[in-house]
Amino acid sequence: MAPDTPALEAARLRKVYRRGAEDIVAVDDVSLTIRRGEFVSFIGPSGSGKTTLINILGCLDNATAGSLKIGGRTVFSEDICLSETALTRIRREVFGYIFQKFYLVPTLTVRENVLLPFAFFRKAEARTNPMEILAFLGLDRRIDHRPAELSGGEMQRVAIARALVNKPEILLADEPTGNLDSRTSDEIMTIFKDLNDKKHISIVMVTHEMDIGMCAKRRIHMKDGLIVREEVNA
Ligand SMILES: Nc1ncnc2c1ncn2[C@@H]1O[C@H](COP(=O)(O)OP(=O)(O)O)[C@@H](O)[C@H]1O
Ligand SMILES: [Mg+2]
């Protein structure tokens, strides 16, 4: 991939949910380009289409219309729709996913949770050292603990470690601080900034919290499924 190939390119994305006789337009004509190495947030109130959009960008959901390219490759468009196998591969090779509800496996230790992606798939070129990632995230003294023994911030850090083991190009985070207090939220944002600055991972985050969204270098504001405004740090 050429170094200037965008990480993500979306054109005229639209997602319509059918609820009974009613059509709900969750994402309405969204076009955007995210370059490699960017830290972008989508900020908007509940119901503005953030989760729907990030799920489409991360190939977890399909759009009703529009097109999406990931690393220059068309994932879907009017006449292209990749197979489920190809999509699964992109999900594993390109993305790391982080959610509001950490989704750790309660019966597994920190170490086992973080190694879980390797049980299904190990990206050949990744060669990450999970212990180094755990140390980077300040979890090296927690590796034999189970999720119930951890604080919320620690649980989210474990989820971040798990998202990192396969060396994703793009980290996608849907309300990553939604279950955390403000001090812990700031810690998670510091980790995101470090991952972006020092490890050059592209980050795409959605949040309804303005101060969290402001941590990203580029902020895209959403309302009613539309991009209404955008700002970038100088
Ligand atoms: N599976 C679904 N079926 C029907 N409507 C949905 C579904 N998911 C989301 N919606 C609707 O789409 C709109 C956008 O939702 P969502 O993307 O979850 O917004 P946000 O993450 O910003 O809160 C809302 O009106 C929501 O009710
Ligand atoms: Mg949401």
Side-chain angles (χ1 to χ4, degrees):
M1 198 200 309
D4 52 355
T5 305
L8 295 170
E9 283 173 278
R12 313 213 66 174
L13 285 182
R14 198 173 155 78
K15 176 77 175 184
V16 183
Y17 292 111
R18 175 115 298 158
R19 199 185 278 156
E22 198 190 354
D23 276 349
I24 295 159
V25 182
V27 170
D28 193 1
D29 200 19
V30 165
S31 299
L32 59 100
T33 297
I34 297 176
R35 293 184 310 279
R36 294 163 79 193
E38 278 202 278
F39 181 3
V40 183
S41 65
F42 290 87
I43 308 171
S46 174
S48 57
K50 306 181 299 295
T51 293
T52 304
L53 179 62
I54 200 172
N55 284 347
I56 293 171
L57 296 178
C59 301
L60 297 174
D61 195 1
N62 47 4
T64 311
S67 64
L68 176 68
K69 282 187 194 175
I70 294 171
R73 179 185 187 192
T74 301
V75 172
F76 62 79
S77 66
E78 223 170 284
D79 38 34
I80 294 175
C81 186
L82 292 188
S83 68
E84 195 50 41
T85 315
L87 289 173
T88 301
R89 207 183 160 82
I90 290 173
R91 289 178 199 124
R92 288 163 159 180
E93 298 203 336
V94 178
F95 295 110
Y97 302 95
I98 294 163
F99 303 96
Q100 176 172 356
K101 302 176 182 180
F102 326 119
Y103 297 123
L104 302 179
V105 180
T107 53
L108 300 182
T109 65
V110 165
R111 185 206 311 259
E112 290 163 343
N113 267 284
V114 171
L115 292 176
L116 200 55
F118 290 166
F120 305 103
F121 163 75
R122 184 166 201 156
K123 192 168 162 183
E125 69 273 26
R127 297 199 202 295
T128 47
N129 177 350
M131 288 308 129
E132 193 236 334
I133 293 171
L134 284 163
F136 180 80
L137 295 172
L139 290 164
D140 36 338
R141 300 228 295 260
R142 288 278 184 264
I143 53 175
D144 294 318
H145 292 244
R146 282 173 222 283
E149 301 168 292
L150 305 177
S151 69
E154 286 172 330
M155 284 194 257
Q156 190 59 300
R157 280 187 272 145
V158 176
I160 294 170
R162 181 185 55 191
L164 290 175
V165 289
N166 265 322
K167 272 209 180 159
E169 288 156 35
I170 308 169
L171 210 51
L172 297 178
D174 188 350
E175 304 277 4
T177 60
N179 281 6
L180 304 174
D181 62 49
S182 63
R183 193 181 55 84
T184 312
S185 298
D186 291 344
E187 283 170 20
I188 298 296
M189 286 306 103
T190 301
I191 290 168
F192 277 20
K193 284 180 195 160
D194 279 354
L195 290 172
N196 181 245
D197 286 340
K198 297 179 187 159
K199 310 229 178 234
H200 312 293
I201 298 173
S202 310
I203 301 181
V204 178
M205 164 175 91
V206 310
T207 179
H208 68 279
E209 295 173 275
M210 184 64 75
D211 54 337
I212 293 298
M214 291 309 283
C215 295
K217 290 177 195 150
R218 176 178 170 202
R219 284 92 53 186
I220 298 174
H221 296 265
M222 289 187 72
K223 196 179 170 218
D224 300 330
L226 289 160
I227 292 177
V228 290
R229 185 161 57 87
E230 178 172 336
E231 68 227 3
V232 189
N233 285 4

CSV table of all heavy atoms in Angstrom, one decimal, residues 17-19 24-27 44-53 174-175 206, ligand 1:
chain,number,residue,atom,x,y,z
A,17,TYR,N,-32.7,1.9,8.7
A,17,TYR,CA,-33.3,0.8,9.4
A,17,TYR,C,-34.8,0.8,9.2
A,17,TYR,O,-35.4,1.9,9.2
A,17,TYR,CB,-33.1,0.9,10.9
A,17,TYR,CG,-31.7,0.7,11.4
A,17,TYR,CD1,-30.9,1.8,11.9
A,17,TYR,CD2,-31.1,-0.5,11.3
A,17,TYR,CE1,-29.6,1.6,12.3
A,17,TYR,CE2,-29.7,-0.7,11.8
A,17,TYR,CZ,-29.0,0.4,12.3
A,17,TYR,OH,-27.8,0.2,12.7
A,18,ARG,N,-35.4,-0.3,9.0
A,18,ARG,CA,-36.8,-0.4,8.9
A,18,ARG,C,-37.4,-0.8,10.2
A,18,ARG,O,-37.0,-1.8,10.7
A,18,ARG,CB,-37.1,-1.4,7.8
A,18,ARG,CG,-38.4,-1.7,7.5
A,18,ARG,CD,-39.2,-1.5,6.3
A,18,ARG,NE,-39.4,-0.2,5.7
A,18,ARG,CZ,-39.7,0.0,4.4
A,18,ARG,NH1,-39.7,-1.0,3.6
A,18,ARG,NH2,-40.0,1.2,4.0
A,19,ARG,N,-38.3,0.1,10.7
A,19,ARG,CA,-38.9,-0.3,12.0
A,19,ARG,C,-40.4,-0.3,11.8
A,19,ARG,O,-41.0,0.8,11.7
A,19,ARG,CB,-38.5,0.6,13.1
A,19,ARG,CG,-38.7,0.1,14.5
A,19,ARG,CD,-38.4,1.1,15.6
A,19,ARG,NE,-37.0,1.2,15.9
A,19,ARG,CZ,-36.4,2.3,16.4
A,19,ARG,NH1,-37.2,3.4,16.7
A,19,ARG,NH2,-35.1,2.3,16.7
A,24,ILE,N,-36.0,4.5,9.5
A,24,ILE,CA,-35.1,5.3,10.3
A,24,ILE,C,-33.8,5.5,9.6
A,24,ILE,O,-33.1,4.5,9.4
A,24,ILE,CB,-34.9,4.7,11.7
A,24,ILE,CG1,-36.3,4.6,12.4
A,24,ILE,CG2,-33.9,5.5,12.5
A,24,ILE,CD1,-36.3,3.6,13.5
A,25,VAL,N,-33.5,6.7,9.3
A,25,VAL,CA,-32.2,7.0,8.6
A,25,VAL,C,-31.2,7.3,9.7
A,25,VAL,O,-31.1,8.3,10.3
A,25,VAL,CB,-32.4,8.2,7.7
A,25,VAL,CG1,-31.0,8.5,6.9
A,25,VAL,CG2,-33.5,8.0,6.7
A,26,ALA,N,-30.4,6.3,10.0
A,26,ALA,CA,-29.4,6.4,11.0
A,26,ALA,C,-28.1,7.1,10.6
A,26,ALA,O,-27.5,7.8,11.3
A,26,ALA,CB,-29.0,5.0,11.6
A,27,VAL,N,-27.7,6.8,9.3
A,27,VAL,CA,-26.6,7.5,8.7
A,27,VAL,C,-27.0,8.0,7.4
A,27,VAL,O,-27.6,7.3,6.6
A,27,VAL,CB,-25.4,6.5,8.5
A,27,VAL,CG1,-24.3,7.2,7.7
A,27,VAL,CG2,-24.8,6.1,9.9
A,44,GLY,N,-21.3,13.3,19.0
A,44,GLY,CA,-22.7,13.6,18.8
A,44,GLY,C,-23.6,13.1,19.9
A,44,GLY,O,-23.2,12.2,20.6
A,45,PRO,N,-24.8,13.6,20.0
A,45,PRO,CA,-25.7,13.1,21.0
A,45,PRO,C,-26.2,11.7,20.8
A,45,PRO,O,-26.0,11.2,19.6
A,45,PRO,CB,-26.9,14.1,21.0
A,45,PRO,CG,-26.9,14.6,19.6
A,45,PRO,CD,-25.4,14.7,19.2
A,46,SER,N,-26.8,11.1,21.8
A,46,SER,CA,-27.3,9.7,21.6
A,46,SER,C,-28.3,9.7,20.5
A,46,SER,O,-29.1,10.6,20.3
A,46,SER,CB,-28.0,9.3,22.9
A,46,SER,OG,-28.6,8.1,22.8
A,47,GLY,N,-28.2,8.7,19.6
A,47,GLY,CA,-29.1,8.6,18.5
A,47,GLY,C,-28.7,9.3,17.2
A,47,GLY,O,-29.4,9.3,16.2
A,48,SER,N,-27.5,9.9,17.3
A,48,SER,CA,-27.0,10.6,16.1
A,48,SER,C,-26.4,9.8,15.0
A,48,SER,O,-26.0,10.3,14.0
A,48,SER,CB,-26.1,11.8,16.5
A,48,SER,OG,-25.0,11.3,17.2
A,49,GLY,N,-26.3,8.5,15.3
A,49,GLY,CA,-25.8,7.6,14.3
A,49,GLY,C,-24.4,7.2,14.4
A,49,GLY,O,-23.8,6.5,13.5
A,50,LYS,N,-23.7,7.5,15.5
A,50,LYS,CA,-22.3,7.2,15.7
A,50,LYS,C,-22.0,5.7,15.7
A,50,LYS,O,-21.1,5.3,15.0
A,50,LYS,CB,-21.8,7.8,17.1
A,50,LYS,CG,-22.1,9.3,17.3
A,50,LYS,CD,-21.6,9.8,18.6
A,50,LYS,CE,-22.2,9.1,19.8
A,50,LYS,NZ,-23.7,9.3,20.0
A,51,THR,N,-22.7,4.9,16.5
A,51,THR,CA,-22.5,3.5,16.5
A,51,THR,C,-22.7,2.9,15.1
A,51,THR,O,-21.9,2.0,14.7
A,51,THR,CB,-23.3,2.8,17.6
A,51,THR,OG1,-22.9,3.3,18.9
A,51,THR,CG2,-23.2,1.3,17.6
A,52,THR,N,-23.8,3.3,14.5
A,52,THR,CA,-24.1,2.7,13.2
A,52,THR,C,-22.9,3.0,12.2
A,52,THR,O,-22.5,2.2,11.5
A,52,THR,CB,-25.4,3.3,12.6
A,52,THR,OG1,-26.4,3.1,13.6
A,52,THR,CG2,-25.8,2.7,11.3
A,53,LEU,N,-22.4,4.3,12.3
A,53,LEU,CA,-21.4,4.7,11.4
A,53,LEU,C,-20.1,3.9,11.6
A,53,LEU,O,-19.4,3.4,10.7
A,53,LEU,CB,-21.1,6.2,11.4
A,53,LEU,CG,-20.0,6.7,10.5
A,53,LEU,CD1,-20.3,6.4,9.1
A,53,LEU,CD2,-19.8,8.2,10.8
A,174,ASP,N,-15.9,2.6,20.4
A,174,ASP,CA,-17.3,3.1,20.5
A,174,ASP,C,-17.5,3.4,21.9
A,174,ASP,O,-17.7,2.5,22.8
A,174,ASP,CB,-18.2,2.0,19.9
A,174,ASP,CG,-19.7,2.6,19.9
A,174,ASP,OD1,-19.9,3.7,20.4
A,174,ASP,OD2,-20.5,1.9,19.3
A,175,GLU,N,-17.6,4.7,22.3
A,175,GLU,CA,-17.8,5.1,23.7
A,175,GLU,C,-16.9,4.4,24.7
A,175,GLU,O,-17.3,3.8,25.6
A,175,GLU,CB,-19.3,4.9,24.1
A,175,GLU,CG,-20.3,5.5,23.2
A,175,GLU,CD,-20.6,7.0,23.5
A,175,GLU,OE1,-20.0,7.6,24.3
A,175,GLU,OE2,-21.5,7.5,22.8
A,206,VAL,N,-15.8,7.1,18.7
A,206,VAL,CA,-17.1,7.8,18.8
A,206,VAL,C,-17.5,8.0,20.2
A,206,VAL,O,-17.2,7.2,21.1
A,206,VAL,CB,-18.2,7.2,18.0
A,206,VAL,CG1,-17.8,6.8,16.6
A,206,VAL,CG2,-18.8,6.0,18.7
B,1,LIG,N1,-30.8,-2.2,14.8
B,1,LIG,C1,-31.6,-1.1,14.7
B,1,LIG,N2,-32.8,-1.2,14.3
B,1,LIG,C2,-33.6,0.0,14.2
B,1,LIG,N3,-33.1,1.2,14.5
B,1,LIG,C3,-31.9,1.3,14.9
B,1,LIG,C4,-31.0,0.2,15.1
B,1,LIG,N4,-29.8,0.6,15.6
B,1,LIG,C5,-29.9,1.9,15.7
B,1,LIG,N5,-31.1,2.3,15.3
B,1,LIG,C6,-31.6,3.7,15.3
B,1,LIG,O1,-30.7,4.5,14.5
B,1,LIG,C7,-30.4,5.7,15.1
B,1,LIG,C8,-28.9,5.9,15.3
B,1,LIG,O2,-28.5,5.0,16.3
B,1,LIG,P1,-27.0,4.8,16.8
B,1,LIG,O3,-26.2,4.6,15.6
B,1,LIG,O4,-27.0,3.7,17.8
B,1,LIG,O5,-26.7,6.2,17.4
B,1,LIG,P2,-25.6,6.6,18.6
B,1,LIG,O6,-24.6,5.6,18.6
B,1,LIG,O7,-25.1,8.0,18.1
B,1,LIG,O8,-26.4,6.7,19.8
B,1,LIG,C9,-31.3,5.8,16.3
B,1,LIG,O9,-32.5,6.5,16.0
B,1,LIG,C10,-31.5,4.4,16.7
B,1,LIG,O10,-32.7,4.3,17.4
